[in-house]
Amino acid sequence: MEKHKRRLLTSQDPAAEGPDHAGSSGTAASGESTSAESSIGTTAEPTAEPTAGPKPRTRPKSRTRVRPLSKVGIGWRLAITALAFVILTCGQFLNTNDFFPLGSLTQYATAKDLNGTVGSTCIAAQFPGEDEPRRLGFNAATVGIERGDVESQLDRVIAHPELMQSMADSYVRLHPNEPKPETMILCRTTTQLKNGISVGEPEESTLATWEVR
């Protein structure tokens, strides 16, 4: 009997020994794993952070060398300036725009007397079969030239009315379906002002006429 009891005791399953035995064994196992992890952690080499290389040196900006003008460069600049001034001055005395844009400055507006008169140049043409001259638009689309260009050299056109032949030719070219004018008439309308307001009917006068060829 004693031998049989001993066999039973020695052949008993360790799992049946209770939680105390399992806990002690688990504690021992966890202690072993912790010691293993700590030994692994102490032996692992730390990762080295990449170090930045030396910064490239920035080259200082070279100063731009300013070269002075030569005597030739200064000379031709002064010559052109003087020539433009002479042309502009001649344009004022001759009252012409032949040297445009260095022509006469009379094309710009000037102050007017509020009780004076205002004159405006006009162009008219006598057509065949019509009793009265017909007023034409004084612009490049009608007679090939703007009114201001004629007014700037009005004395010249009055002295040489043959210059109006080009206006007649331009009218025929720009209006091929219209009859050819027989006579070109350069006229002027004068309007009386009172306190800056026009009063009465404008008066019309003829400055020059030209028989169209």
Side-chain angles (χ1 to χ4, degrees):
M1 288 293 293
E2 293 295 332
K3 292 181 179 181
H4 183 67
K5 288 181 180 180
R6 290 177 181 175
R7 288 178 183 176
L8 290 177
L9 292 175
T10 55
S11 63
Q12 190 175 358
D13 188 7
E17 293 178 1
D20 293 336
H21 182 77
S24 60
S25 61
T27 302
S30 61
E32 293 177 359
S33 63
T34 303
S35 61
E37 289 177 359
S38 61
S39 62
I40 293 173
T42 54
T43 56
E45 296 182 357
T47 56
E49 296 182 357
T51 58
K55 295 183 179 180
R57 296 182 178 180
T58 57
R59 298 179 60 183
K61 295 183 179 179
S62 59
R63 295 182 179 178
T64 303
R65 184 178 179 182
V66 180
R67 298 177 57 187
L69 289 175
S70 63
K71 294 182 179 180
V72 176
I74 296 175
W76 70 261
R77 284 173 172 82
L78 291 176
I80 291 179
T81 304
L83 180 61
F85 180 77
V86 170
I87 294 175
L88 182 62
T89 304
C90 292
Q92 311 315 308
F93 286 105
L94 299 176
N95 194 22
T96 178
N97 278 328
D98 291 343
F99 310 118
F100 182 84
L102 300 175
S104 175
L105 300 179
T106 56
Q107 57 182 315
Y108 300 104
T110 56
K112 290 290 184 180
D113 184 7
L114 297 181
N115 294 316
T117 58
V118 176
S120 177
T121 308
C122 55
I123 189 73
Q126 181 67 52
F127 290 93
E130 297 182 2
D131 298 333
E132 297 292 334
R134 187 196 308 174
R135 182 77 66 87
L136 302 178
F138 214 157
N139 50 55
T142 305
V143 293
I145 192 172
E146 297 292 339
R147 182 178 62 182
D149 295 330
V150 175
E151 288 181 337
S152 63
Q153 49 185 340
L154 189 59
D155 295 336
R156 179 186 174 195
V157 177
I158 294 174
H160 302 278
E162 64 272 12
L163 295 174
M164 290 190 289
Q165 179 66 43
S166 62
M167 299 185 201
D169 296 339
S170 298
Y171 180 85
V172 173
R173 177 176 53 85
L174 295 170
H175 304 81
N177 298 327
E178 294 290 333
K180 181 180 179 179
E182 295 178 341
T183 306
M184 298 297 294
I185 304 170
L186 185 66
C187 53
R188 176 187 288 274
T189 59
T190 304
T191 303
Q192 180 65 45
L193 298 180
K194 184 177 181 180
N195 295 328
I197 302 175
S198 61
V199 293
E201 292 294 330
E203 296 181 1
E204 184 174 322
S205 59
T206 300
L207 301 177
T209 60
W210 174 252
E211 298 294 331
V212 178
R213 298 175 182 178

